[in-house]
Amino acid sequence: MTIPPRDDLALMEGYHSPQVDVAVRLNTNEAPEPPPSGFTEALAAEVAALDWHRYPDRSYTALREAIAAHHGVAPEQVFAANGSNEVLQTLCLAYGGTGRAVAVFEPTYALHSHIARVTGTAVAVGERTEDHALDLAEVRRVLAEADPAITFLCSPNNPTGMLEDEATVREVLDLVPGLLVVDEAYGQFAPWSALELVDDDRPLVVTRTYSKTWSMAAARLGYLIGPSPLVAQLDQIVLPYHLDSVKQAAGRLALGFDEAMRTRVASLVEERGRVVARLSDLPVTVWPSAANFVLFRPEGRDGEAVWRSLLDRSVLVRDCSSWPRLDGCLRVTIGTPAEDDAFLAALEEALA
Ligand code: PMP
């Protein structure tokens, strides 16, 4: 097959995160445990009773209402899709495209610029400070130069784990010429959320995912909370029946396990503190994290070599060592205490 892709896609790199078979997998920020057993049973009962020969509820009414109730917003302020990546893609399809730009501040989640480019949208890149913090003077510069239709923030930021506080998000919101998207894929692990700023009169959306907190990465489900007129526009451009009936049921049922999930998030936050404390005793630089992962850089060692030594010990973390602005850095997902101990032991050996 030799049909070339669009010229502007030909030189693009895809998104790679190796899926290798290892004992301890801490590279993609998933939840370390499957959903509670009551969830799988309830879902199995609903799946058995599905009208398989009918298209799903196109407006995913029950899921939408459940998400809205969970966040205390109106169902008209909820838009869901197949993973928050598809939510981001739908935003780019609606507000990006030829002649338009998005703004990102690197280092940040690689898919923001990748998805923008795939949708034919130009990407204006701003720099963060040396310690990965947002630089408001740089934000002003980029927004003034590029006039972006969409400005992306990621909070807590992937892969650094850093949280944007309320004052910063409010300032950026005042500056953006278009829409501000705050990607909160890891929002539950953080002490503050931009969700409280969402209002029908503000050009702000907050995206969330079921892939992390809700232990449902396999299902591919994410959503945004935003102004209802924007949600109505997204409803018009997304493919008909894009959310299948099984996923709609899974997403609705999961929210019934809110208490159990809050407990799990609290344990992961505590575990994150333990891992950071142990890392601080090793010859590595550690960045403060408000997410379920931690970015660190082995000092005086080649990052990729350390990554390989961990892999040799059947521990897989994310190798960011060759990424721009993240020279020598690795990112580890917080797992179960046993998984984290295996990682810490392997790292001690790798650094010895
Ligand atoms: N945003 C961020 C910041 C992420 O890290 C991820 C997952 N890697 C996503 C969005 C995509 O999540 P989903 O599984 O919902 O597509």
Side-chain angles (χ1 to χ4, degrees):
M1 211 288 296
T2 54
I3 304 170
R6 267 168 30 206
D7 288 349
D8 57 330
L9 296 184
L11 292 174
M12 274 180 62
E13 278 192 36
Y15 178 75
H16 306 285
S17 188
Q19 289 190 303
V20 278
D21 208 7
V22 287
V24 179
R25 214 160 79 180
L26 300 174
N27 67 329
T28 42
N29 303 337
E30 294 142 319
E33 290 175 283
S37 64
F39 165 81
T40 346
E41 284 151 19
L43 181 59
E46 294 223 6
V47 169
L50 264 185
D51 278 336
W52 281 96
H53 59 306
R54 299 294 178 199
Y55 280 112
D57 172 8
R58 183 168 172 175
S59 311
Y60 48 97
T61 317
L63 171 64
R64 212 169 213 158
E65 285 171 354
I67 295 172
H70 179 71
H71 289 295
V73 298
E76 294 75 23
Q77 294 179 301
V78 176
F79 172 81
N82 295 282
S84 53
N85 280 339
E86 195 183 57
V87 174
L88 300 171
Q89 186 188 55
T90 311
L91 286 167
C92 285
L93 287 170
Y95 304 110
T98 313
R100 295 190 172 202
V102 305
V104 299
F105 297 90
E106 298 286 0
T108 191
Y109 183 46
L111 264 279
H112 294 161
S113 42
H114 179 83
I115 291 170
R117 291 194 179 101
V118 169
T119 61
T121 316
V123 178
V125 177
E127 298 294 326
R128 288 168 182 264
T129 62
E130 270 296 287
D131 57 0
H132 306 318
L134 203 63
D135 174 352
L136 284 170
E138 173 74 346
V139 173
R140 273 190 204 92
R141 183 190 71 77
V142 172
L143 300 190
E145 271 176 27
D147 190 26
I150 302 174
T151 300
F152 285 108
L153 290 182
C154 185
S155 178
N157 192 17
N158 181 7
T160 65
M162 281 176 73
L163 180 73
E164 305 303 351
D165 63 17
E166 179 174 351
T168 307
V169 175
R170 278 186 183 274
E171 273 206 71
V172 177
L173 190 54
D174 280 345
L175 293 171
V176 290
L179 178 68
L180 175 62
V181 176
V182 182
D183 181 337
E184 288 194 356
Y186 306 96
Q188 291 93 338
F189 302 99
W192 181 76
S193 164
L195 276 171
E196 63 184 59
L197 300 179
V198 172
D199 187 284
D200 270 6
D201 296 329
R202 287 198 184 110
L204 167 71
V205 305
V206 175
T207 61
R208 290 275 176 115
T209 178
Y210 277 76
S211 300
K212 322 292 176 181
T213 303
W214 297 101
S215 294
M216 274 173 51
R220 310 303 300 121
L221 182 59
Y223 59 91
L224 66 73
I225 308 293
S228 39
L230 172 142
V231 168
Q233 285 166 343
L234 299 183
D235 281 341
Q236 283 188 346
I237 71 140
V238 78
L239 290 174
Y241 313 112
H242 69 297
L243 282 185
D244 66 76
S245 300
V246 177
K247 184 172 310 190
Q248 292 187 32
R252 173 170 47 76
L253 291 170
L255 298 178
F257 293 84
D258 188 32
E259 256 327 292
M261 292 315 189
R262 277 178 206 272
T263 307
R264 287 184 179 192
V265 166
S267 314
L268 283 169
V269 168
E270 204 179 314
E271 179 66 1
R272 178 181 76 205
R274 186 179 79 90
V275 171
V276 168
R278 289 277 303 278
L279 283 173
S280 309
D281 292 335
L282 297 174
V284 299
T285 301
V286 186
W287 279 268
S289 170
N292 67 336
F293 57 82
V294 177
L295 185 76
F296 65 99
R297 183 176 58 213
E299 291 311 333
R301 297 296 180 110
D302 177 57
E304 206 221 335
V306 174
W307 180 79
R308 285 207 176 278
S309 314
L310 292 173
L311 195 56
D312 290 344
R313 291 166 175 84
S314 210
V315 174
L316 179 63
V317 301
R318 196 68 192 269
D319 180 12
C320 318
S321 64
S322 63
W323 299 3
R325 309 164 188 86
L326 291 168
D327 212 17
C329 289
L330 305 179
R331 189 196 68 195
V332 63
T333 305
I334 303 301
T336 61
E339 288 172 326
D340 298 336
D341 281 339
F343 155 70
L344 290 161
L347 183 64
E348 273 175 23
E349 281 178 27
L351 296 173

